[in-house]
Amino acid sequence: MHRFFLPACLLAALSGGCGKPAPRQVPPLRVEAVRAQEEPIPNRMSFIGYLSSNFDAVIQPRVNGFLASRHFANGMPVRRGQLLFTIDPSQLSTSMLAARAELESARARALEARNNYDRAVPLARINAISQSQFDQYTAQFRAAEAAVQSAEQALRNARMNVSYTELRSPIDGTISNTSAHVGDYVGPGTQFTVLTTVSNTDTMTVDVAIPMSQYLRLAGGRTSLYDNEGLLSDIRLTLADGTRYPGEGFYSYTRKDIPNATGTLVLVVAFPNPDGTLKPGQFAHVAANVGPVRPHVVVPQRCVIQSQGQASVWVVGPDSTVRYRRIEPGGTYGDMWCIDRGLQAGEAVVANGVQKMRDGAKVIPEIR
């Protein structure tokens, strides 16, 4: 009996020495968490475009003639009333002198006709002349007066044509270049029917294209596609070098056509440009709030994990267990991310150490 006792003890000792120790339990990880909040967030959209002048004034000669001089430098600012071009007035001045001579001749004929009429009136009263002769004197007098009025109008037209030989800027703005040179024959019917343009730069405009699907969602029940006053707010402009233009923009109007290729509604926004900082053709990055302010569920951007086109967060449950959850993020607002689907206000999400999380793990959340 004793000879079996030692091997049994030895077997027990060996079996006890070869056994695996119990696994160590990993303590819960302490993590920072934040609660999703519901806040009224404007729908901020960004647009890319180019600045354009508010309108262009086309400088067209009204009379024909040889270009005598030009009084501006290409691309420079001009003031309203500033002389831009001079057309040789010689031929038109001759026409004006001829019109003046014709007026004097008409006045002389009218004076003769009036004298004849005045002498015929008393003779007609005593029947010294026939009624037909009196009617003839009356008609001649009235025709002579009409000829004077016609000659006066011809002289006014001739004077106006002479004044048209000086072309002045109708607005303040920046003038373009011209292809006409001194000595060219310009005016209606020539190759120089347009000499140049003056662009108004007191206000600059940018086209803002909103996809029709987004417009219908954000329009807030508007009955007309062209009544978009108040749709945009807090309109800001960023220039190509990243600087922010200090002036705030405003809605101007909606273009009447919707491009078939893009299916977008084009709104025109304007920016005051009193000191001429903005130039036509300049690159413009425009950001604006579109539509009414609506409540959104928001979390800090550092809480959202983005990978392969998917967005997700780690949600801390009431039992301090973390769960992986996919979400649909919307736009950003400051350092916050708007969540369209997948998260409710009040739920806690992990804000740091997201790489160490595993689904179902226990954590010690420090909720802020």
Side-chain angles (χ1 to χ4, degrees), residues 28-269:
L29 184 65
R30 189 178 298 274
V31 298
E32 178 188 351
V34 295
R35 292 197 181 277
Q37 304 290 329
E38 187 175 74
E39 296 182 8
I41 302 295
N43 184 65
R44 195 75 175 165
M45 296 182 67
S46 296
F47 310 92
I48 301 299
Y50 294 92
L51 294 169
S52 302
S53 61
N54 195 25
F55 64 90
D56 295 332
V58 181
I59 308 301
Q60 296 177 278
R62 299 186 183 185
V63 294
N64 294 86
F66 292 98
L67 195 63
S69 60
R70 51 175 285 182
H71 306 271
F72 66 91
N74 294 337
M76 296 300 292
V78 294
R79 305 297 296 177
R80 180 179 181 181
Q82 178 177 333
L83 181 63
L84 304 178
F85 298 96
T86 301
I87 297 175
D88 184 6
S90 302
Q91 182 177 356
L92 295 173
S93 296
T94 301
S95 299
M96 183 179 68
L97 293 175
R100 183 177 297 164
E102 178 60 29
L103 175 61
E104 295 300 326
S105 177
R107 285 174 176 170
R109 291 192 295 270
L111 179 60
E112 180 184 9
R114 182 176 183 83
N115 291 335
N116 292 336
Y117 173 78
D118 289 341
R119 286 191 289 266
V121 170
L123 295 176
R125 289 175 181 170
I126 61 175
N127 295 323
I129 60 174
S130 65
Q131 184 64 38
S132 62
Q133 287 180 311
F134 179 72
D135 291 343
Q136 184 178 2
Y137 287 130
T138 303
Q140 289 174 350
F141 171 55
R142 292 180 177 175
E145 285 188 327
V148 170
Q149 293 178 356
S150 177
E152 288 176 343
Q153 183 61 46
L155 179 58
R156 282 194 291 268
N157 289 340
R159 286 173 175 168
M160 188 179 301
N161 287 336
V162 171
S163 70
Y164 288 157
T165 59
E166 291 186 349
L167 282 74
R168 299 180 180 273
S169 176
I171 60 171
D172 295 339
T174 303
I175 195 166
S176 180
N177 64 320
T178 179
S179 57
H181 298 85
V182 173
D184 288 334
Y185 191 71
V186 301
T190 71
Q191 62 175 323
F192 300 110
T193 56
V194 174
L195 296 181
T196 187
T197 58
V198 178
S199 301
N200 173 265
T201 55
D202 291 342
T203 302
M204 305 297 292
T205 62
V206 183
D207 285 357
V208 169
I210 302 178
M212 187 57 67
S213 58
Q214 289 187 332
Y215 172 82
L216 295 176
R217 178 170 57 88
L218 300 170
R222 294 175 183 268
T223 57
S224 172
L225 291 177
Y226 304 104
D227 181 18
N228 292 303
E229 186 70 36
L231 179 66
L232 305 179
S233 61
D234 192 21
I235 307 172
R236 299 294 177 177
L237 171 66
T238 302
L239 302 179
D241 60 355
T243 58
R244 184 172 179 177
Y245 184 67
E248 182 177 356
F250 59 91
Y251 167 80
S252 182
Y253 66 97
T254 301
R255 295 198 181 278
K256 63 182 182 66
D257 296 326
I258 298 177
N260 295 328
T262 58
T264 56
L265 189 69
V266 180
L267 280 62
V268 180
V269 297

